[in-house]
Amino acid sequence: MRVCVIGTGYVGLVTGACLAHIGHDVICVDNNEEKVKLMKSGQSPIFEPGLSEIMQSAIQTEKIHFTSDLAAGVAHGEILFIAVGTPPLPTGESDTRYVEAVARGIGANLNNGYKVIVNKSTVPIGSGDWVRMIVLDGIAERQKSLVAAGGVSEEKLPEFVAEFDVVSNPEFLREGSAVYDTFNPDRIVLGGNSQRAVALMQQLYAPIVERKYAADPSLPPVPILATDLSSAEMIKYAANAFLATKISFINEVANICDRVGADVTQVAKGIGLDSRIGNKFLQAGIGWGGSCFPKDVSALIHTADDYGYEAELLKAAVNVNERQRLIALEKLQQVLKILKGKTVGLLGLTFKPDTDDMRDAPALNLIEQLNRLGAKVKAYDPIVSQTGMRHGLSGVLVETDAERLADGCDALVLVTEWKQFSTLDYLKMAKLMAHPVIIDGRNFLDPEAMVRAGFQYVGVGR
Ligand code: UDX
Ligand code: UDX
């Protein structure tokens, strides 16, 4: 099928590349010319495991093309994905101006046959109908300009009325495993009232539904849930809000464990074995961040508020998380007492491993607060060091390896559980430090091994 994906961020590019990989003809549109140039040359502007490989093979088989020309993308696609960002505004609402610009642009360029417009971006509940309205506005504006330019008479205009439907198809991709998640989804949600559009979407995803690209092809087909537009939009918010709340819950339990002397990792195992609870997303630590949880939970609270409902549980989940993101600071103060003049080394900067994304990363709060208290902050992160990426980073000296990081530090904080952090030479690192203290912000390391290496080990709720 012919597909156009507009917006090649973490979600759009992964979606486009994966759809090309399963045989569709994909055009990815982005208004950032630099990015388009980079992608045309076969390079991914983001780090996502497996993405470069499938992008390059799709470029070779000419299944994927990149352009900044929205008109060309709209003309090509029978299915048009809107995947531009919806960052949070200071009020907590989503900034939907990019979605609006794209919807208007689609409308202005719709002219050849039936199209399905897919909201992949996480948009406030009710946006499906709003996108439809904006597309219609775009169509009307184009008609007006055609008449004004004298190209078409008023009577002929109905010929230009394009046929389209809007579908909400939320993504549930985790950064760091987005390609894997695309080929191995737990479910596919399709919201909309047009059976024609939903049928085309089912056809689009058929190879994935049939597990043709799955890690385990013997699994039963991926469940498809067809809903109305608002329910699909709500599913995305509710899923992220639930997961974020689950993490805040275990973080709260961890804080109680710290006080009573229990070990949250054992507690998580013990409750996770209850199939009603499940063992995933029960990893206590320094809180949730990233481009989705913080913004989606805030947006849901905001939506509830718009309808006069106070989302108390969600607000509590956010409050617990805000406090949790500074738990490492509290622990550093307990051990080092005064932080002024001390040097703290951060192991990891990104909001989770296997991504280069720093959006709303707990490391950023930590750096800011440590600076405020007069500590010197150093950091080592595999991807940040490898790519030379320094975007948005200030008040921190980025080292090129873990041993240089440890050298002279009064304490280390493990912020991101990069796999390679389990095999560092901690014995050597402890010797290089002024005080061999390690705060394990992800309960990732083996406490006994760290003590053997000469560290004073402090976990979260353990
Ligand atoms: C996506 C979104 O779909 C968001 O709603 C969801 O919650 C998380 O995932 P993400 O992929 O992280 O966002 O967005 P981002 O990495 O910011 O990329 C957006 C892309 O769209 C950028 O490449 C940007 O250049 C492009 N863009 C933006 C356009 O092409 N046109 C625009 O008008 C605006
Ligand atoms: C999330 C959702 O999982 C995905 O379905 C959605 O579509 C986009 O948002 P992402 O933000 O990429 O994905 O990563 P995720 O693995 O969910 O982690 C989010 C944050 O929670 C990270 O900061 C992570 O460190 C933290 N986390 C996760 C925990 O603190 N404990 C856990 O047990 C799991």
Side-chain angles (χ1 to χ4, degrees):
M1 295 171 87
R2 284 174 288 106
V3 178
C4 165
V5 180
I6 306 155
T8 56
Y10 285 85
V11 170
L13 184 55
V14 171
T15 303
C18 289
L19 289 174
H21 186 74
I22 66 173
H24 297 301
D25 290 302
V26 179
I27 284 195
C28 289
V29 182
D30 203 291
N31 63 1
N32 182 329
E33 300 272 0
E34 290 284 301
K35 261 192 182 179
V36 172
K37 221 159 78 196
L38 197 69
M39 293 184 293
K40 276 185 172 168
S41 75
Q43 284 172 273
S44 165
I46 52 165
F47 174 74
E48 191 58 52
L51 180 58
S52 289
E53 290 81 347
I54 59 166
M55 242 180 92
Q56 280 156 11
S57 81
I59 290 174
Q60 267 168 13
T61 53
E62 299 200 6
K63 283 288 173 193
I64 199 164
H65 292 89
F66 301 95
T67 179
S68 55
D69 181 358
L70 181 62
V74 174
H76 168 86
E78 42 189 329
I79 299 190
L80 312 173
F81 280 95
I82 303 181
V84 291
T86 47
L89 290 167
T91 51
E93 286 168 284
S94 289
D95 184 349
T96 53
R97 85 179 98 154
Y98 306 113
V99 174
E100 179 171 352
V102 169
R104 199 174 296 281
I106 291 176
N109 290 291
L110 275 184
N111 58 4
N112 59 338
Y114 177 72
K115 310 262 179 187
V116 181
I117 300 173
V118 188
N119 261 344
K120 196 79 177 163
S121 295
T122 307
V123 285
I125 297 142
S127 295
D129 293 329
W130 171 76
V131 163
R132 179 174 187 83
M133 188 186 82
I134 307 289
V135 173
L136 289 171
D137 281 353
I139 294 174
E141 279 162 27
R142 173 165 173 267
Q143 290 182 331
K144 253 195 240 153
S145 60
L146 282 174
V147 173
V152 190
S153 65
E154 292 264 8
E155 305 77 66
K156 283 234 166 179
L157 274 181
E159 282 178 25
F160 287 88
V161 173
E163 248 193 303
F164 72 94
D165 281 302
V166 178
V167 167
S168 164
N169 171 218
E171 50 79 20
F172 302 104
L173 313 176
R174 288 163 303 169
E175 287 179 27
S177 52
V179 172
Y180 177 90
D181 289 349
T182 304
F183 293 134
N184 301 275
D186 287 338
R187 77 300 207 187
I188 291 174
V189 175
L190 299 173
N193 19 20
S194 155
Q195 281 186 356
R196 183 180 182 187
V198 170
L200 280 171
M201 292 301 289
Q202 282 177 323
Q203 197 184 326
L204 179 79
Y205 285 127
I208 292 176
V209 170
E210 290 154 14
R211 309 268 188 199
K212 290 209 170 114
Y213 295 85
D216 180 0
S218 68
L219 286 175
V222 176
I224 292 192
L225 183 68
T227 69
D228 57 85
L229 269 173
S230 305
S231 301
E233 288 160 352
M234 184 55 138
I235 286 168
K236 169 69 199 225
Y237 281 106
N240 275 354
F242 181 83
L243 292 170
T245 306
K246 194 171 178 188
I247 302 167
S248 279
F249 170 81
I250 199 67
N251 282 335
E252 186 139 277
V253 171
N255 296 340
I256 305 172
C257 282
D258 255 341
R259 284 158 177 84
V260 301
D263 178 348
V264 74
T265 59
Q266 293 181 31
V267 175
K269 227 178 254 163
I271 62 172
L273 282 168
D274 184 327
S275 61
R276 294 168 302 175
I277 296 174
N279 60 7
K280 299 201 177 122
F281 277 65
L282 281 181
Q283 204 184 309
I286 54 170
W288 37 271
S291 68
C292 281
F293 283 179
K295 115 176 138 49
D296 291 351
V297 180
S298 301
L300 188 54
I301 291 172
H302 201 276
T303 300
D305 203 43
D306 279 348
Y307 287 81
Y309 178 79
E310 194 176 348
E312 289 187 56
L313 178 66
L314 300 181
K315 283 186 179 171
V318 171
N319 291 340
V320 168
N321 194 50
E322 276 170 8
R323 201 178 51 193
Q324 201 68 18
R325 286 169 66 134
L326 295 177
I327 202 93
L329 197 69
E330 221 175 86
K331 289 178 184 283
L332 282 169
Q333 285 178 322
Q334 276 163 14
V335 181
L336 300 176
K337 307 297 173 201
I338 292 169
L339 295 181
K340 204 179 181 73
K342 300 274 165 57
T343 303
V344 177
L346 308 183
L347 275 168
L349 284 165
T350 53
F351 84 96
K352 62 179 285 189
D354 294 321
T355 179
D356 55 3
D357 202 344
M358 290 290 302
R359 284 180 283 184
D360 228 323
L364 299 175
N365 295 64
L366 208 52
I367 294 168
E368 190 190 315
Q369 292 304 318
L370 284 167
N371 279 326
R372 187 180 64 80
L373 292 168
K376 184 174 157 200
V377 190
K378 303 203 289 175
Y380 166 65
D381 183 284
I383 196 84
V384 175
S385 301
Q386 195 184 312
T387 58
M389 175 189 87
R390 298 284 183 276
H391 177 71
L393 284 177
S394 62
V396 53
L397 174 72
V398 180
E399 295 285 7
T400 47
D401 65 53
E403 283 158 28
R404 261 181 225 174
L405 173 74
D407 197 7
C409 274
D410 294 284
L412 293 177
V413 181
L414 188 140
V415 173
T416 318
E417 67 278 33
W418 284 93
K419 209 164 151 208
Q420 46 269 62
F421 290 170
S422 62
T423 52
L424 297 174
D425 188 347
Y426 285 104
L427 196 70
K428 190 166 171 200
M429 286 165 65
K431 290 201 180 109
L432 289 167
M433 292 175 67
H435 296 102
V437 172
I438 188 155
I439 313 288
D440 183 358
R442 297 289 178 187
N443 289 344
F444 177 67
L445 302 166
D446 175 358
E448 283 171 20
M450 295 314 290
V451 171
R452 278 200 304 276
F455 275 98
Q456 178 179 352
Y457 174 92
V458 183
V460 179
R462 155 190 226 204

